[in-house]
Amino acid sequence: MPPSALELDFGPVERDPHQPLAAGAVLLGGFALQDAVALLAGLKAVVAISPFRHMVTPGGWPMSVSMSNCGAAGWVTDRRGYRYDPDDPETARPWPAMPLVFSTLAARAAEAAGFAGFVPDACLINRYEPGARLTLHQDRNERDFAHPIVSVSLGLPATFLWGGASRSERPRRIPLVHGDVVVWGGPARMTFHGVDTMKDGAHPLTGAIRFNLTFRRAN
Ligand code: MD3
Ligand code: FE
C-alpha cells in the first residue's frame, strides 16, 4: 500500500501496534490509549488510600521511584528485603482493591500477546519524576515465573533498558510512550531490565510525571 499524503508529510500516523521485541516479549504500542483517563482515575483512587512512598532497598537507600500497589498482594522493599505483602506497611491495612479497568486491560493485553487466562493478583504502581531511574534488575519475587508480567506506561516518555540473561550484557534502549503496553513472558520473563534517568517534560494528562503499572501474578 502506498503511504498516504498525511504519512508522507508527517511520518507514520501510528507505530506498528504489535511489535515483537524478542521471544516472549511484545510491545503493544498505544494499547492503553483509550483507557488512559480511566486508568489515571483508578490510580488516583488507589493512592488516596495507599499513598506513593519512596521505599528503602535492603542496602538502606531510598529508591528514586516512588511506589504504591493495588490488588491482593503488593510488592515491598525495606531493610529486611524484597517481598509481596497482602498489607500496606504504611497503613497497616490491605492494599486497595485492583480497579476493574486495571485488571481488564491487563488480561486483554496478555491475551493479545498470547497469554490467555492471565489473572493478575498484584499491580505495582511506579511514579517517576525527572531524574528518577530504575537500575537493572530481575523480577524474581513471584511464585511462578510461567505467568507473564504486563506493563502499562502513562504520562512522560521513558527509555526502557532491556538487558539479557546476565547483568553484564549491555542493555538495548527501547522508547516507551504514553499508552504503550509491554507483555513479558516465557523466555523473556527473567531478563534484566530497568529505566534510564527520566528527562524533564510535560504531559497533558500527568504533567512532569511518568507512571508505570506492572501487573503480576505474585501468588
Ligand atoms: C521484563 N518497572 O516495576 S516495566 C518493575 O517502567 C519495573 O517502571 C519498569 O521493572 C517501569 O519491576 C519497567 C517493564 C517490565 C516489567 C517487568 C519485567 C519489563 C520486564 C519483568 C521481566 C522482564
Ligand atoms: Fe522490573
Side-chain angles (χ1 to χ4, degrees), residues 51-57 61-69 75-77 124-137 158-159 193-198 209-214 216:
F52 285 113
R53 80 291 307 263
H54 292 274
M55 296 186 197
V56 175
T57 64
W61 300 97
M63 298 182 73
S64 62
V65 179
S66 58
M67 298 177 166
S68 185
N69 289 276
W75 186 85
V76 296
T77 176
L124 173 62
I125 308 174
N126 294 331
R127 180 184 186 276
Y128 295 80
E129 296 186 20
R133 62 197 279 262
L134 198 58
T135 56
L136 283 184
H137 66 277
T159 300
H193 59 277
V195 177
D196 201 0
T197 309
M198 288 287 300
I209 301 290
R210 171 179 188 254
F211 295 111
N212 183 265
L213 314 175
T214 51
R216 301 115 186 282

Side-chain angles (χ1 to χ4, degrees), residues 29-44:
F31 193 88
L33 272 180
Q34 302 293 326
D35 291 316
V37 167
L39 291 168
L40 288 167
L43 185 160
K44 193 174 171 185

Side-chain angles (χ1 to χ4, degrees), residues 53 76 78 83 85 87-93 95:
R53 80 291 307 263
V76 296
D78 59 19
R83 64 192 172 277
D85 196 312
D87 296 326
D88 177 350
E90 294 293 321
T91 65
R93 298 265 304 134
W95 295 103

Side-chain angles (χ1 to χ4, degrees), residues 101-175:
V101 61
F102 280 35
S103 44
T104 303
L105 177 74
R108 283 176 48 228
E111 174 150 28
F115 296 93
F118 177 57
V119 180
D121 62 0
C123 175
L124 173 62
I125 308 174
N126 294 331
R127 180 184 186 276
Y128 295 80
E129 296 186 20
R133 62 197 279 262
L134 198 58
T135 56
L136 283 184
H137 66 277
Q138 291 172 299
D139 290 17
R140 52 188 318 154
N141 299 120
E142 299 76 27
R143 207 183 294 281
D144 181 355
F145 301 141
H147 297 294
I149 291 183
V150 175
S151 112
V152 178
S153 292
L154 296 169
L156 283 189
T159 300
F160 178 67
L161 303 174
W162 190 22
S166 75
R167 193 184 295 278
S168 58
E169 265 177 69
R170 183 219 281 229
R172 275 171 70 185
R173 301 172 62 82
I174 299 170

